[in-house]
Amino acid sequence: MKSFEDVADFHGHVCPGLALGYRVSMFALKELGERALDEELVAIVENNSCAVDAVQVITGCTFGKGNLIFKDYGKQVYTFIKRPSRNRVTTKGYGIRISVEWKSPEETDEEKKMWDRYMKGDLSEEVLKAVHNRRSKKIEMILNARDEELLKVTTGKIDLPEEARIYPSLRCAICGEKVMEPRARVKDGRIVCIPCFEGNKE
Ligand SMILES: [Zn+2]
Ligand SMILES: [Zn+2]
C-alpha cells in the first residue's frame, strides 16, 4: 500500500488538493476491497487538479494505462468502477462515486490580511510563514478528518466507460508524423493530424 509520502514524492509538493485526492483514493480502495486479479479498477475524475496525482499513485489507475478517464467538468467528483476482465461484454460494474464535500475553515482576520499581502506580491518572511502555516493547517485537517466530514458517497452499478482500443496509425500529409486513425482529419483531400488540421501552416 502506498503512503501519503509516496504521493507527495510523485507530485513534487504537499498541498490540500493532494491530501483530498489521497483521502478519496484510500476510501475507494477500502470500499472496493482488495482487487481481484481478473478485475481492473477504472477511475473517472472530473477535474485535473493536484488530487488526480494522488488517485494515480494510490489506486494504480493511470493516464497511460487508460484506466484513468478525465472528464473536464471542474467538479471534485471521483468515480471508481471494477471492470471484470473475463466478461468484456459487461457494460456496468460495481462502483463508488465520491463527491468531496470538504469546506476549508473560515480564515481568521489575521490570515486574510496576510493572504491579501501575499496576493499583492508581498513575499516577506512574515507573509510566507503565515501562508505556509495556513496551508499546513488545511492539509492536517484533511488528513485527520473523518470520512463523513470529507466525502459524500454513493455506491451501485455504474456504466463502464468504453475500453481503450489500439488503432492503426496513419501518416500526416503535412508534418509527416504518425497519428492514430480516429484522430486523423481530412484537409483538402489529404489525411492530416489535428495540429496541422487546425494550424494555418501549409
Ligand atoms: Zn499540488
Ligand atoms: Zn501533422
Side-chain angles (χ1 to χ4, degrees):
M1 179 64 79
K2 300 278 186 186
S3 65
F4 188 59
E5 281 69 41
D6 295 324
V7 169
D9 194 43
F10 177 74
H11 184 56
H13 65 238
V14 170
C15 61
L18 195 71
L20 282 171
Y22 172 75
R23 290 299 307 269
V24 164
S25 308
M26 293 301 279
F27 185 82
L29 285 193
K30 189 178 81 185
E31 283 302 298
L32 295 176
E34 194 69 15
R35 271 182 286 149
L37 281 176
D38 63 349
E39 277 175 341
E40 186 198 24
L41 193 63
V42 178
I44 302 168
V45 299
E46 300 187 15
N47 66 79
N48 59 351
S49 73
C50 296
V52 177
D53 275 355
V55 171
Q56 297 194 77
V57 172
I58 297 293
T59 69
C61 295
T62 70
F63 191 56
K65 270 192 288 187
N67 59 345
L68 176 82
I69 290 147
F70 166 48
K71 295 204 167 155
D72 197 1
Y73 297 161
K75 293 177 72 174
Q76 280 283 339
V77 173
Y78 306 84
T79 305
F80 299 89
I81 316 167
K82 284 165 144 184
R83 172 169 17 223
S85 59
R86 294 246 175 80
N87 181 7
R88 293 304 200 184
V89 290
T90 331
T91 55
K92 281 180 189 290
Y94 178 72
I96 179 169
R97 182 183 189 274
I98 303 171
S99 165
V100 173
E101 296 295 304
W102 191 71
K103 281 248 176 320
S104 93
E106 280 292 325
E107 287 174 301
T108 62
D109 288 342
E110 185 61 21
E111 282 171 342
K112 238 179 240 154
K113 219 166 66 194
M114 289 297 175
W115 184 251
D116 279 347
R117 283 172 59 183
Y118 179 70
M119 290 313 280
K120 281 176 191 145
D122 183 344
L123 298 178
S124 65
E125 202 181 319
E126 180 192 25
V127 167
L128 287 181
K129 201 164 159 228
V131 167
H132 175 82
N133 284 346
R134 163 102 182 142
R135 187 180 296 144
S136 306
K137 197 166 86 182
K138 273 198 215 172
I139 294 166
E140 202 62 27
M141 287 178 81
I142 293 165
L143 292 178
N144 293 311
R146 284 174 297 121
D147 290 331
E148 312 84 78
E149 295 175 88
L150 285 180
L151 317 168
K152 195 177 84 190
V153 177
T154 49
T155 54
K157 289 273 179 191
I158 300 176
D159 285 334
L160 280 161
E162 226 189 295
E163 262 186 278
R165 268 179 275 158
I166 295 176
Y167 297 97
S169 48
L170 304 172
R171 209 169 274 283
C172 170
I174 295 176
C175 69
E177 291 170 358
K178 288 198 275 185
V179 51
M180 75 176 190
E181 197 182 6
R183 296 291 177 270
R185 299 287 181 268
V186 177
K187 185 179 191 176
D188 306 325
R190 293 191 296 167
I191 292 190
V192 298
C193 68
I194 291 173
C196 290
F197 180 75
E198 289 174 348
N200 307 312
K201 50 183 175 181
E202 244 314 297

